[in-house]
Amino acid sequence: MAMNASSSPTKSSDELVLKSKLWNGRDEPRVAFASVNAEEDKPFNFLHVLFDCAIAGGTAGVFVEAALYPIDTIKTRLQAAHGGGKINLKGLYSGLVGNLAGAFPASAIFLGIYEPVKQKLLETFPENLSAFAHLTAGAVGGAASSLVRVPTEVIKQRIQTGQFTSAPDAVRLIVRREGLKGLFAGYGSFLLRDLPFDAIQFCIYEQLLLGYKLAARRSLSNAENAIVGAFAGAITGAVTAPLDVIKTRLMVQGSANQYKGICDCVSTIAREEGICTLFKGMGPRVLWIGIGGSIFFGVLEKTKEVLAQRHFNSQDSSSFKLD
């Protein structure tokens, strides 16, 4: 700790000190993970932060996908079904392996970009604009990771809806029938859904963390991080549900081209199936993303903690040898 509460003569001073510590994330060991310590002389190491965040993000992403894949499959089938079509509950793990292969790099890219961008923006903007820094960093991270996430999502959802039986077959046949652009079907709708989703979810999570820490006057436990993550995920999942339906319909239509674009998709659904169709699958989506947020942020923070401790121990060993 840079300061002791006992060195401050008033309660308000104590609160300012605590707020400064929590704002800069200084309740961890001296080797801060993915953050910029104003009290240290060492410059911000972008590559170091990017690498560690990529590992933490990729690990968290794989845990979520593996744990909640069946719920995601049900949600996708509900959204893809037209009218009163029945939902097949068989093969709920179809495409899991291929999805995990894409989930790790996608989540790694997102966190690897999000955290350094966030830290730089927090250095640039005043404290009262921290939410803007979190929103912007979330959108930038989402845009960068979309180059991996979109093909992964297209392949996953085509398998989930029974169009293909495996990821290799899906890639081969999609490219043959639709060209490489087929792997990026619904790209615009994906960005329309995921850029706001990523920005809002991480902004809510970061702001709740900051407020929680200030109220509790301490760092949060892994369980508390998970609870905050679940709350942020559930809210964001509900808000962006209609965008998710549009994205799913555009991604799974294949070469049929039932919809000509986002606007045509919305108008066709509203005309033929009713506007309520845009909220199909909201229950599984909110459940999936709520639990997923809990797992993702819980695993993320724990992995960050482990990596930070590893770096801390490594530096201690180096210092010991030099002495």
Side-chain angles (χ1 to χ4, degrees), residues 9-23:
T10 66
K11 180 179 179 181
S12 60
S13 297
D14 288 346
E15 291 175 349
L16 288 174
V17 171
L18 176 65
K19 189 173 183 180
S20 176
K21 289 176 183 176
L22 295 176
W23 169 256

Side-chain angles (χ1 to χ4, degrees), residues 93-297:
Y93 283 94
S94 298
L96 174 60
V97 175
N99 188 55
L100 293 181
F104 185 89
S107 298
I109 292 171
F110 177 84
L111 260 296
I113 297 298
Y114 169 79
E115 193 69 35
V117 170
K118 179 192 77 173
Q119 292 298 336
K120 286 299 182 182
L121 291 175
L122 288 176
E123 284 185 328
T124 304
F125 296 132
E127 184 177 332
N128 61 350
L129 292 181
S130 63
F132 180 74
H134 297 141
L135 284 169
T136 304
V140 172
S145 65
S146 67
L147 296 176
V148 176
R149 290 164 75 179
V150 172
T152 301
E153 190 84 353
V154 169
I155 294 166
K156 178 193 75 173
Q157 294 199 324
R158 300 274 181 100
I159 294 174
Q160 287 176 327
T161 53
Q163 297 182 39
F164 305 105
T165 57
S166 68
D169 284 344
V171 173
R172 178 171 56 83
L173 293 173
I174 288 173
V175 172
R176 178 189 297 176
R177 297 170 183 172
E178 305 169 48
L180 285 175
K181 67 178 183 180
L183 294 174
F184 291 88
Y187 188 78
S189 62
F190 182 91
L191 293 181
L192 181 65
R193 181 203 70 172
D194 269 44
L195 294 191
F197 178 88
D198 292 331
I200 294 170
Q201 183 183 32
F202 275 78
C203 179
I204 292 175
Y205 176 72
E206 297 273 16
Q207 293 296 309
L208 286 176
L209 274 189
L210 182 60
Y212 199 145
K213 287 179 179 179
L214 287 171
R217 303 179 64 84
R218 59 173 173 79
S219 293
L220 275 63
S221 66
N222 290 323
E224 289 170 323
N225 286 324
I227 292 172
V228 173
F231 189 71
I235 292 176
T236 313
V239 170
T240 58
L243 301 177
D244 191 46
V245 172
I246 297 168
K247 185 270 306 176
T248 297
R249 290 293 183 91
L250 290 172
M251 282 188 168
V252 303
Q253 69 176 334
S255 56
N257 287 326
Q258 178 184 2
Y259 309 110
K260 306 303 180 184
I262 296 173
C263 293
D264 181 57
C265 181
V266 174
S267 61
T268 301
I269 290 174
R271 183 177 64 254
E272 297 181 356
E273 304 174 60
I275 199 68
C276 291
T277 302
L278 292 173
F279 294 90
K280 286 180 70 174
M282 176 182 278
R285 175 173 168 79
V286 171
L287 176 65
W288 169 54
I289 296 179
I291 298 174
S294 174
I295 296 172
F296 182 87
F297 287 110

